[in-house]
């Protein structure tokens, strides 16, 4: 009979599995780099904890890391409260918010009037307008991997031509003109774009359209319209493809550039090269104009992307939290206000490690005013 | 269905079982009763009435119900696909079956499934061509050549391949296999680049996210399916035929070639068709391995692209508008029909080998 042998094998596997669960650490703190050169707002506000215990939010995957940092601060500030975030994409987030299924929607772009999103949100908020509150700003890096090239400088026009096929080789005179002294190899440029529909693609193309104007020549949108290169799934896919190939270039969020230790190009908008980082992004956000009315803080992206301010890194993703101005029930409104206030104040400290830019002080004031007005 | 051996040579059948003489008459009677009108009348018993008890009726109802349920479910799925797809198809500006462009923007619907279909079939056939000989070898090894003690653990290991989730295969293929195949694919492209299937494609060979890598990973996923079924079929080879061949002085390979392979050919082909169906529908692994591309499919293994399943998966998160979603569901309908055709083809092959069923 083989029962004894089978039993001994099974028990060995069970003991081994139990022993292996002891491996691994409990620490969940993100291992970040010291990028906190930009002054983070240190205000810690009075927060009225309470209300709905389990808030639900859904939306953009670009702000997932930031929401995690905010949630940690919220739970620390208001013990017993929770927020669950599903990073299923901006489109899904807006759809679920308009359907009344989630309390806060996370989106890479403000509610679109042409698509009827503004009206649908107003219906959800019981005939009150919905507000777009930009809580998370993340710089987008142009990551590359080329043999022998360490500090690549790109202007908006050169970037646009690379991404729409106008420039096909690394030693093109247009690139050499902006990178005097660098030895550029005679290899083909391999563009890596997002194969899935993505807010990062949308913002990148908006940036090219606003800053390079005729050199880009294509539309913006969630699908990459450049017409060259190969696609990868998600920003992680792009980062891995860039690392694996030679002569590759692509656009990914700052946190991915840090995690995979890729080189990112410096952007020269006319006032000198600015490197990807918190100071450059903060300088750009400081000069951003708001195009929304009252407490609806929609940012004028075209002006932001076309800005030629010295020391500013203009390629910044602004992601919004979409909330009702009025129309929540009392419990939900209280919890939403508590979460957003914590996010705008205590939550900002951990953002730099996660690859996002903390809010400049002027912005923080405007945000806190808007959050206070939610009821 | 009559068993030729027992009708023509009842004595031999009883004799080969080594049964005792006292039971042979009773067995002859029972075997003729079971065969009903087709069997030879023994002269001592009249044809028996069919006895049914309540248990028989319940069991029959359950089995018929299960069969009907499966058919109804497939029909309902087909109807769902049609209902969702038809509004988008009527608004489609491009020819659905022959256009190579894909735009599922609800304001500007112009989608054609040709490119997706070509990539799907091409990658699946490539995977099958790799998997079929390997599975045949493994199945023959396990049933004919391996000692019994080695065969069982080895079979467990092969079946473990089927337990690996397909997303793990995708990650392994994209991040381990793709760069590792780089030098080999570059050599293939340099020396055999004049052959269309090895020509330069739309996906960089250094990164390796090509149909070539996807095909190899798909082949690994098909291995356990084809091997498991082939193993069962080869085990069922009538021992009498194997022993007869051995008695006539055949070597091991000749025994396999004359008895096991002809007997198991139909089962092996049906196992391969099952594997092909799996490869046609594989979604996540292809989604991660295959790089998307802006160019059309150009009949080379070193292309990127999308299969029908991976294209739907890429867009699944943004299914906000029913007309845009309908375009993808129409592509899914094409895949549904394709799988039907493949299975019908497999059935036609097996139908020619009825004597070995």
């Amino acid at each position: 009979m083989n029962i004894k042998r089978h039993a001994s094998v099974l028990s060995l596997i069970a003991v081994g599995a139990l022993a292996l669960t002891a491996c691994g650490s409990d620490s969940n703190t993100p291992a970040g780099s010291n990028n906190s050169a930009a002054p983070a707002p240190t205000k810690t506000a009075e927060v009225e904890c309470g209300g709905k215990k389990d808030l639900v939010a859904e939306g953009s995957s670009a702000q997932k890391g930031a929401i995690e940092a905010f949630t940690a601060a919220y739970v620390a500030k208001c013990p017993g409260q929770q927020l669950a975030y599903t990073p299923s994409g901006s489109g899904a987030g807006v759809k679920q918010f308009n359907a009344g299924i989630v309390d806060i929607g996370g989106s890479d772009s403000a509610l679109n009037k042409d698509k009827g999103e503004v009206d649908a949100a107003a219906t959800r908020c019981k005939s009150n307008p919905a507000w777009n509150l930009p809580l998370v700003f993340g710089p987008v890096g142009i990551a590359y991997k080329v043999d022998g090239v360490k500090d690549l400088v790109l202007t908006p026009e050169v970037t646009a031509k690379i991404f729409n096929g106008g420039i096909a080789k690394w030693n093109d005179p247009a690139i050499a003109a902006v990178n005097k002294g660098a030895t550029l190899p005679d290899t083909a440029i391999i563009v890596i774009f997002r194969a899935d529909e993505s807010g990062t693609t949308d913002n990148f193309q908006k940036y090219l359209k606003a800053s390079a104007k005729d050199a880009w020549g294509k539309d913006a949108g969630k699908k990459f319209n450049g017409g060259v290169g190969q696609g990868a799934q998600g920003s992680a896919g792009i980062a891995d493809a860039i690392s694996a190939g030679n002569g590759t270039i692509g656009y990914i969020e700052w946190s991915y550039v840090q995690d995979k230790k890729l080189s990112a190009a410096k952007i020269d908008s006319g006032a000198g090269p600015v490197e990807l980082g918190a100071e450059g992004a903060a300088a750009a956000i400081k000069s951003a104009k708001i195009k929304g009315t009252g407490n609806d803080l929609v940012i004028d992206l075209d002006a932001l992307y076309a800005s030629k301010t010295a020391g500013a890194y203009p390629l910044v993703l602004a992601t919004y939290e979409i909330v009702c101005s009025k129309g929540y029930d009392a419990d939900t409104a209280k919890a939403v206000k508590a979460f957003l206030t914590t996010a705008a104040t205590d939550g900002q400290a951990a953002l730099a490690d996660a690859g996002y830019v903390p809010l400049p002080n002027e912005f923080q004031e405007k945000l806190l005013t808007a959050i206070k007005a939610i009821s | 269905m009559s068993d030729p051996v027992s009708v023509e040579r009842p004595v031999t059948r009883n004799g080969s079982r080594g049964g005792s003489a006292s039971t042979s008459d009773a067995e002859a009677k029972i075997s003729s009763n079971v065969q009903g009108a087709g069997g030879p009348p023994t002269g001592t018993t009249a044809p028996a009435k069919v006895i049914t008890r309540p248990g028989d009726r319940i069991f029959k109802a359950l089995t018929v119900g299960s069969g009907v349920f499966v058919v109804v479910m497939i029909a309902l799925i087909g109807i769902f696909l049609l209902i969702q797809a038809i509004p988008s198809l009527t608004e489609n500006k491009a020819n659905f079956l022959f256009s190579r462009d894909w735009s599922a923007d609800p304001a500007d619907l112009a989608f054609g499934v040709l490119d997706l279909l070509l990539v799907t079939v091409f990658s699946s056939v490539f995977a099958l061509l790799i998997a079929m000989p390997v599975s045949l070898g493994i199945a023959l090894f396990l049933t004919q050549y391996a000692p019994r003690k080695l065969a069982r653990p080895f079979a467990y290991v092969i079946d473990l391949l089927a337990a690996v989730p397909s997303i793990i295969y995708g990650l392994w293929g994209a991040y381990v296999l793709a760069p590792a195949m780089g030098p080999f694919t570059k050599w293939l492209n340099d020396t055999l680049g004049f052959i269309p299937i090895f020509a330069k494609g739309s996906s960089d060979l250094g990164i390796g996210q090509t149909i070539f890598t996807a095909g190899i990973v798909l082949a690994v996923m098909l291995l356990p399916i084809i091997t498991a079924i082939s193993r069962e079929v080869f085990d069922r080879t009538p021992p009498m035929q194997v022993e007869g061949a051995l008695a006539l002085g055949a070597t091991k390979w000749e025994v396999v070639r004359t008895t096991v392979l002809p007997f198991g050919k139909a089962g092996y082909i049906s196992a391969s068709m099952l594997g092909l169906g799996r490869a046609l529908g594989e979604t996540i692994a292809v989604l991660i391995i295959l790089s998307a591309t802006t160019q059309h499919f150009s009949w080379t293994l070193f292309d990127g692209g999308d299969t029908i399943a991976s294209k739907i998966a890429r867009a699944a998160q943004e299914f906000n508008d029913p007309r845009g979603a309908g375009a993808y569901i129409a592509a899914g309908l094409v895949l549904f029909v394709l799988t039907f055709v493949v299975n019908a083809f497999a059935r036609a092959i097996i139908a020619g080998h009825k004597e070995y069923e």
Side-chain angles (χ1 to χ4, degrees):
Chain A
M1 289 232 285
N2 281 335
I3 294 183
K4 260 199 211 166
R5 210 192 302 163
H6 286 177
S8 64
V9 167
L10 274 172
S11 49
L12 262 176
I13 292 174
V15 167
L18 277 173
L20 281 172
T21 57
C23 301
S25 59
D26 266 345
S27 61
N28 282 329
T29 53
S33 48
N34 311 331
N35 279 347
S36 32
T42 49
K43 225 155 75 157
T44 170
E46 296 294 314
V47 172
E48 260 189 59
C49 293
K52 188 169 168 191
K53 268 199 173 328
D54 290 303
L55 284 175
V56 194
E58 186 169 342
S60 153
S61 52
Q63 55 173 312
K64 171 171 162 291
I67 298 282
E68 280 170 7
F70 293 159
T71 311
Y74 178 55
V75 168
K77 193 88 179 198
C78 299
Q81 305 287 90
Q82 252 309 346
L83 178 119
Y85 187 74
T86 314
S88 51
S90 308
V94 170
K95 193 166 132 189
Q96 300 286 66
F97 177 78
N98 288 344
I101 297 178
V102 299
D103 305 310
I104 304 176
S107 171
D108 289 340
S109 34
L111 290 173
N112 191 332
K113 202 168 177 65
D114 298 327
K115 289 193 190 154
E117 289 171 4
V118 175
D119 295 325
T123 318
R124 181 259 154 92
C125 298
K126 304 193 178 55
S127 309
N128 297 305
W131 286 338
N132 305 278
L133 300 179
L135 249 88
V136 181
F137 291 89
V140 172
I142 303 177
Y144 63 94
K145 180 162 166 267
V146 188
D147 270 342
V149 178
K150 278 280 164 271
D151 287 307
L152 187 67
V153 176
L154 293 175
T155 63
E157 292 77 21
V158 171
T159 314
K161 289 211 186 99
I162 289 179
F163 279 92
N164 73 359
I167 297 178
K169 278 200 181 249
W170 281 106
N171 61 357
D172 193 279
I175 306 182
V178 204
N179 286 284
K180 294 191 175 38
T183 38
L184 300 164
D186 182 24
T187 43
I189 298 184
I190 303 172
V191 166
I192 318 273
F193 58 87
R194 284 283 290 269
D196 47 328
E197 295 203 358
S198 135
T200 316
T201 309
D202 191 16
N203 278 292
F204 182 64
Q205 295 189 117
K206 281 195 180 117
Y207 163 73
L208 291 176
K209 203 166 161 194
S211 60
K213 301 186 189 34
D214 296 322
W216 172 239
K218 313 256 183 194
D219 282 324
K222 291 205 162 99
K223 274 199 151 80
F224 182 70
N225 291 321
V228 287
Q230 57 186 67
Q233 184 71 8
S235 287
I238 297 189
D240 286 314
I242 294 178
S243 314
N246 185 25
T248 45
I249 188 170
Y251 53 92
I252 45 179
E253 290 93 347
W254 187 30
S255 51
Y256 291 96
V257 174
Q258 288 173 307
D259 284 341
K260 310 275 182 183
K261 302 199 189 358
L262 294 170
S263 316
K266 300 192 182 131
I267 295 189
D268 184 351
S269 323
V274 183
E275 75 166 5
L276 169 70
E279 307 122 58
I285 299 168
K286 252 200 254 279
S287 57
K289 296 184 192 37
I290 296 195
K291 129 175 121 168
T293 50
N295 279 327
D296 187 14
L297 304 172
V298 182
I299 295 185
D300 186 357
L301 282 174
D302 288 334
L304 171 63
Y305 291 147
S307 75
K308 295 188 186 340
T309 324
Y313 185 89
L315 184 49
V316 176
L317 246 188
T319 61
Y320 300 95
E321 316 303 328
I322 303 180
V323 293
C324 285
S325 51
K326 290 187 191 8
Y328 284 130
D329 60 80
D331 273 342
T332 315
K334 193 165 181 190
V336 165
K337 279 170 82 162
F339 173 74
L340 289 175
T341 316
T342 322
T345 52
D346 299 292
Q348 298 291 314
L351 279 187
D353 282 337
Y356 300 92
V357 180
L359 296 165
N361 288 324
E362 304 84 12
F363 239 89
Q364 194 192 34
E365 298 294 334
K366 295 193 185 111
L367 268 174
L368 288 171
T369 316
I371 295 172
K372 269 206 191 66
I374 298 176
S375 61
Chain B
M1 190 177 68
S2 59
D3 186 343
V5 176
S6 70
V7 168
E8 288 158 30
R9 290 186 288 275
V11 178
T12 313
R13 180 171 174 232
N14 291 340
S16 74
R17 273 209 247 130
S20 56
S22 58
T23 56
S24 58
D25 281 345
E27 289 187 60
K29 276 191 233 169
I30 293 172
S31 63
S32 66
N33 278 344
V34 165
Q35 282 153 35
T42 58
T44 49
T45 50
K49 223 169 30 174
V50 175
I51 305 171
T52 54
R53 297 202 180 84
D56 285 318
R57 280 195 287 270
I58 295 175
F59 187 65
K60 182 175 176 191
L62 281 175
T63 50
V64 168
S66 311
V68 168
F69 173 67
V70 170
V71 172
V72 164
M73 202 162 69
I74 295 192
L76 284 178
I77 292 176
I79 292 174
F80 159 77
L81 289 177
L82 264 179
I83 292 178
Q84 298 278 7
I86 285 182
S88 305
L89 284 172
T90 48
E91 278 189 29
N92 189 4
K93 295 186 188 130
N95 184 330
F96 177 62
L97 289 175
F98 294 112
S99 166
R100 302 186 97 175
D101 297 311
W102 185 274
S103 156
D105 184 5
D108 182 30
L109 279 177
F111 54 94
V113 83
L114 184 64
D115 244 8
L116 298 175
L117 193 59
L118 287 176
V119 173
T120 311
V121 172
F122 193 69
S123 58
S124 306
V125 167
F126 177 64
L128 197 64
L129 283 176
I130 300 178
M132 275 177 78
V134 179
S135 304
L136 182 66
I138 298 176
L140 281 176
F141 171 72
L142 286 175
T143 51
Q144 306 300 322
Y145 291 90
R148 279 283 133 189
K149 278 204 178 135
L150 180 61
R152 264 222 313 265
F154 207 90
Y156 284 155
V157 170
I158 299 288
D159 288 340
L160 268 180
L161 277 180
V164 177
S166 53
I167 189 166
I168 303 288
Y169 276 122
L171 293 172
W172 171 73
Y175 301 141
V176 175
L177 190 65
M181 301 293 309
F184 176 60
T185 49
K186 285 202 177 100
W187 174 83
L188 267 181
N189 183 237
D190 287 334
T191 47
L192 297 174
F194 57 90
I195 305 177
I197 57 168
F198 292 121
K200 185 154 176 22
S202 58
S203 187
D204 178 58
L205 288 174
I207 303 176
Q209 290 177 341
T210 54
I211 296 181
F212 187 79
T213 313
I216 294 181
V217 172
L218 280 175
V220 173
M221 295 168 88
L222 299 188
L223 268 181
I225 300 174
I226 306 180
T227 309
I229 300 179
S230 306
R231 219 175 63 221
E232 290 299 318
V233 170
F234 293 161
D235 255 341
R236 299 269 165 276
T237 319
M240 216 186 55
Q241 300 201 356
V242 174
E243 285 163 15
L246 282 171
L248 287 171
T251 60
K252 189 84 177 180
W253 163 236
E254 284 167 356
V255 167
V256 166
R257 191 165 49 93
T258 54
T259 59
V260 177
L261 283 183
F263 177 76
K265 191 159 57 173
Y268 173 65
I269 301 277
S270 82
S272 307
M273 289 297 129
L274 208 64
L276 182 63
R278 166 96 200 257
L280 287 173
E282 181 51 47
T283 310
I284 291 288
V286 176
L287 179 74
I288 298 183
I289 296 176
L290 216 47
S291 68
T293 177
T294 48
Q295 299 168 27
H296 293 313
F297 177 61
S298 55
W299 295 100
T300 164
L301 281 172
F302 302 135
D303 250 347
D306 274 308
T307 60
I308 294 179
S310 79
K311 186 87 176 175
I312 299 176
R314 277 203 219 281
Q317 283 189 343
E318 302 284 330
F319 272 11
N320 295 324
D321 191 298
R323 281 166 304 155
Y328 291 100
I329 292 181
L333 187 60
V334 170
L335 185 61
F336 193 62
V337 169
L338 176 67
T339 316
F340 253 53
V341 167
V342 163
N343 283 342
F345 183 60
R347 289 264 150 222
I349 295 181
I350 298 172
H353 298 269
K354 238 194 164 56
E355 66 266 22
Y356 291 116
E357 268 186 25

